Amino acid sequence: MNGAQALLRTLVDGGVDVCFANPGTSEMHFVAALDAVPEMRAVLSLFEGTVTGAADGYARMADRPAATLLHLGPGMANGLANLHNARRAHTPIVNVIGDHARYHKGFDAPLESDIDALTGWLRGWTRTSKSPDELGADAVAAIAAARTAPGQVANLVLPADVSWADGGEPGTPADPPAPVPVDEDRIAEIAKVVRAGEPTVLLLGHGTTRDRGLVAASRIAAATGAKLFAETFPARIERGAGLPNVERLGYLAEQVQWQLTDVKHLVLVGAKAPVSFFAYPGKASELVPDGCQTHVLSVLGEDGTGALEHLADEVAAGVDPVRQEATRPALPSGPLTPQNWTEVIGALLPEGAIVSDEANTSGLMIPMTTAGAPRHDVLTLTGGAIGQGLPVALGAAVAAPDRPVVCLQADGSAMYTVSSLWTMAREGSDVTTVVLNNRAYAILRMELSRVGAEAAGPKANELLDLSGPDLDFVRMSEGMGVPATRATTAEELADQFGKALAEPGPHVIEAMVPPLL
Amino acid sequence: MNGAQALLRTLVDGGVDVCFANPGTSEMHFVAALDAVPEMRAVLSLFEGTVTGAADGYARMADRPAATLLHLGPGMANGLANLHNARRAHTPIVNVIGDHARYHKGFDAPLESDIDALTGWLRGWTRTSKSPDELGADAVAAIAAARTAPGQVANLVLPADVSWADGGEPGTPADPPAPVPVDEDRIAEIAKVVRAGEPTVLLLGHGTTRDRGLVAASRIAAATGAKLFAETFPARIERGAGLPNVERLGYLAEQVQWQLTDVKHLVLVGAKAPVSFFAYPGKASELVPDGCQTHVLSVLGEDGTGALEHLADEVAAGVDPVRQEATRPALPSGPLTPQNWTEVIGALLPEGAIVSDEANTSGLMIPMTTAGAPRHDVLTLTGGAIGQGLPVALGAAVAAPDRPVVCLQADGSAMYTVSSLWTMAREGSDVTTVVLNNRAYAILRMELSRVGAEAAGPKANELLDLSGPDLDFVRMSEGMGVPATRATTAEELADQFGKALAEPGPHVIEAMVPPLL
């Protein structure tokens, strides 16, 4: 057994049985070993940003890591932006980066680079394997590191000679770690805060925006009058009819300031105190209002959901959560607008959908119009590095092949990782992508004036304009093997969205939605 | 005048008057300042890999740097792979990376990251500007660093508050540095080597594969019997009828070993001693044959062309160079093959063409079939990070709008930065792209057996296969506003290539060429 075979065997034994891959020459023994370990499913992507984004989407839904396979430093570089998003999502990923044979590195061959600098940028955990007989143990350590709460990217650098040499020894993966409980004293302290009756917000962060956490938080809110918010960009939030509906903090500082008006106590549950996404001249970076005291129920890595349940038992015994009623918008009609397309989604979103949301400005109304739709999960752009929506949708579809995946995708961002569509076609992924084509970097038009650069002239505005030529997502999608249609009215969108959902496999609908501003 | 205006004014005064850009919120004051400095041309790309690759192609042809504009750490991350190629090409680039306002960085907002780790990976020169009144001087230093021989990427990190604050002071750029001459003693030593009459090779590296260097080297070869080779992947090589035709070292180690058989003296001219591109089990990394002595005429950063001319005057006074005769292949007929498509290019390549060559395995015969075509420049994949061909073609077209640009592009690699086509359409770039669609990562099929992994089974082979679904570059190109056609025979390719060259603006021809192996 060579090193690569031992690695794959260990990964599979550790529950890591999907590998998103874009290999090169230095990874050929890993590729060859796939046939020796049939339990490992390999999913080819045409660009590493899709590899890493798909691994992120996969783990958000599967609750266990996928592996990746990247080609040397430049392959890792191409995957970094979506690994940044995964880092912000605290997603477990076993990120396998092939490297030159160790004896070859000193020759500064064209693809040689300092991979440690890239893994250092990403933080997380990194190990370079030194020997085929240690590679199994290295993989065990990588899986454990990835799964260490709250989850992280574990980088395993795999020199080609370690991969190809005989003497591979599979490792024995440990069980996933148990949740780290929150100290009872802290729960008791927070119980006092929420019972005091002063204006209080519970801010739900990583891991606490799923069924159990939402229900417990809603009970606390119902019993004490505390308000609930979810963090702005949750890795995964469960919502829809039958679940408590928790509003997310806004993207714009002004929204957050409005949401937190007069709040005296902010209780963080696996969340960070809110800060402005960007800096703006003369505006504050910190968004906790003056006179508001910040408390911590749980920090990242602790069992925030357990803490919420414990706190609910303490302060809300016998109190029921407030559950969202089933309600959908009526199907709208007429030319598409930034509002009515979201009503179409809300009207038709199927039971059990997974929504990968990178609709950006076009999606402002989506949380409202889908609140009472059947139960669904929403995966958001956690790190702000655009080009995540399509890959995350792909990964979610691999993780949950029995659930419909809906990808709401802004046009500009779509172009970063558009070849994800090809992998969706190849894998037969049941993803319905709605591309919101407003022919602009609309968010930047808004930001241009928000940063105080109102004097911008024609050259500046041209840099925010995606027309001339217009992007035609129907042709691009068809060019990658995904059937596609174009909708310019709400009726067309409803018709096309319904048909796409009814058919298996990937579909793209290009929705010609005018810019919000 | 704010910082951004001072920066743009300084760049323009320093001869940097093109900026390839993909901005975000933190760069909005830079964008707004474009209207205040009309001499700066801004070229929008939809992905940072195109931004950086275009800046590389631009400077290879313009012999002066372009600027870039990237959005924070993730934007830089997306641009890294083509910056790696630019580093290997020793291309001068003023790489402007926007960052959060300095006071905002401590808040760990979603897009916060350690940009220095990324610039560290790239090496080169880096400075973070600290104040608008220093930004002009910082830009002067960045231009000087980029132009320091042999050329490099100079990273200028631009915090948003430095960009927006008043008090900007334009700097006064220095003249480009003079070439660094090679010591006369060294030239005299090499003169002895080449005169000795033993089997000798001159390996022409960075900066020496243009008209003057080729002519001088050819005179030396004609006078002494030395053989000439160019490095495997030159940033820019001039060739065609009327110029000395210098063969490049091969990509495969076996080719190089064959090319250097029985050579006793290897003279490096701005080149490194050849090493294998990848490591292979049981094969050598160093490719200089046993018993061959290595000599250095010039190191990177020295004036290798001047040294060659000096050496030629010494050893080849009165000797003429051997110039390539004008000769073209006959136009072939029949279904496309890995050979006959290159004959079409050779038969029709126009005078003064710039060829961006990322044809990979499909392009094996291109150097032979274009050798006697009219004079042209070839820009190659210097760092092995695929996805460079289209952006480099774009940048070259911006640098040399009066010359026809021909991009020879492998299918798999094309998908990395395919949105470059949109920018070509937007800019009206006269680029004729021939996509070699062999529906495979053909190079990896070859490498799979070369690395000794012959036992690869169906799962392995599936990872090297780009069919299912087939990529349709005609539709994709049209979707990005570039007219496109498909050729399956040599006659069709000749017809379409001729028409595309005759029309201004970008065109794509999808050539259905079967894999080499």
Side-chain angles (χ1 to χ4, degrees), chain A residues 168-181:
Chain A
E169 297 276 353
T172 307
D175 290 333
V180 179

Side-chain angles (χ1 to χ4, degrees), chain A residues 22 35 40 84 88 104 108 110 113-114 121 272 276 285 416 422 426 457 459-460 462 469 472 475 478-479, chain B residues 22 35 40 84 88 104 108 110 113-114 121 272 276 285 416 422 426 457 459-460 462 469 472 475 478-479:
Chain A
N22 185 272
D35 287 285
M40 178 61 85
H84 168 88
R88 293 293 184 184
H104 194 67
D108 197 35
S113 75
D114 175 13
W121 179 72
K272 292 194 299 189
S276 180
S285 292
Y416 277 61
W422 180 83
R426 185 176 177 90
K459 281 178 72 184
E462 204 179 326
D472 179 336
R475 288 193 198 198
E478 290 174 347
Chain B
N22 185 273
D35 286 285
M40 178 62 84
H84 168 88
R88 293 292 185 184
H104 194 66
D108 197 35
S113 75
D114 175 14
W121 178 73
K272 291 194 300 188
S276 180
S285 292
Y416 276 62
W422 180 82
R426 185 177 177 91
K459 282 178 73 184
E462 204 179 326
D472 179 335
R475 287 193 198 197
E478 289 174 347

Side-chain angles (χ1 to χ4, degrees), chain B residues 470-493:
Chain B
D470 290 335
L471 289 162
D472 179 335
F473 284 92
V474 173
R475 287 193 198 197
M476 281 190 274
S477 302
E478 289 174 347
M480 289 179 271
V482 175
T485 54
R486 180 176 296 114
T488 58
T489 66
E491 291 89 339
E492 287 169 356
L493 179 60

Side-chain angles (χ1 to χ4, degrees), chain A residues 122-428:
Chain A
L122 192 61
R123 306 183 201 171
W125 179 97
T126 296
R127 183 179 295 180
T128 300
S129 193
K130 295 189 171 53
S131 166
D133 63 346
E134 295 174 18
L135 186 48
D138 294 335
V140 167
I143 298 169
R147 302 194 85 151
T148 299
Q152 64 181 332
V153 179
N155 300 291
L156 181 59
V157 180
L158 177 62
D161 55 336
V162 173
S163 188
W164 76 49
D166 280 332
E169 297 276 353
T172 307
D175 290 333
V180 179
V182 169
D183 186 81
E184 304 225 350
D185 291 350
R186 214 185 312 148
I187 295 170
E189 268 174 51
I190 302 296
K192 280 187 216 161
V193 172
V194 295
R195 274 185 177 132
E198 290 200 296
T200 298
V201 158
L202 266 65
L203 179 57
L204 305 184
H206 183 73
T208 68
T209 51
R210 291 165 68 175
D211 189 339
R212 282 175 48 208
L214 297 169
V215 165
S218 178
R219 291 173 58 209
I220 297 163
T224 68
K227 280 169 91 172
L228 304 178
F229 287 103
E231 60 188 344
T232 308
F233 292 109
R236 177 176 176 184
I237 182 167
E238 296 184 10
R239 57 199 304 275
L243 276 178
N245 178 21
V246 175
E247 188 183 336
R248 286 155 52 186
L249 285 184
Y251 164 73
L252 300 177
E254 298 89 320
Q255 292 173 286
V256 178
Q257 285 164 337
W258 184 81
Q259 288 170 314
L260 299 184
T261 306
D262 295 333
V263 169
K264 296 296 175 205
H265 299 277
L266 176 66
V267 177
L268 303 175
V269 194
K272 292 194 299 189
V275 299
S276 180
F277 203 89
F278 289 107
Y280 301 93
K283 292 181 185 163
S285 292
E286 292 180 284
L287 302 179
V288 179
D290 286 346
C292 173
Q293 210 181 327
T294 300
H295 311 267
V296 175
L297 175 59
S298 65
V299 298
L300 273 170
E302 291 179 333
D303 180 11
T305 297
L308 285 169
E309 289 181 330
H310 199 139
L311 180 61
D313 291 344
E314 190 90 1
V315 304
V319 178
D320 285 331
V322 179
R323 294 181 186 271
Q324 169 72 44
E325 282 180 29
T327 170
R328 290 181 183 265
L331 271 175
S333 63
L336 285 174
T337 69
Q339 161 118 12
N340 71 11
W341 81 267
T342 70
E343 294 168 351
V344 173
I345 306 301
L348 300 178
L349 195 70
E351 176 77 36
I354 301 166
V355 179
S356 173
D357 180 3
E358 195 178 51
N360 300 350
T361 56
S362 293
L364 193 66
M365 302 297 291
I366 275 288
M368 280 70 92
T369 52
T370 57
R375 191 163 155 163
H376 59 280
D377 286 84
V378 177
L379 316 180
T380 79
L381 179 57
T382 46
I386 60 176
Q388 178 193 266
L390 290 167
V392 159
L394 165 66
V398 171
D402 298 330
R403 296 179 60 176
V405 178
V406 173
C407 179
L408 307 177
Q409 181 60 62
D411 51 353
S413 306
M415 293 304 292
Y416 277 61
T417 47
V418 73
S419 73
S420 304
L421 294 172
W422 180 83
T423 302
M424 290 181 193
R426 185 176 177 90
E427 299 294 322

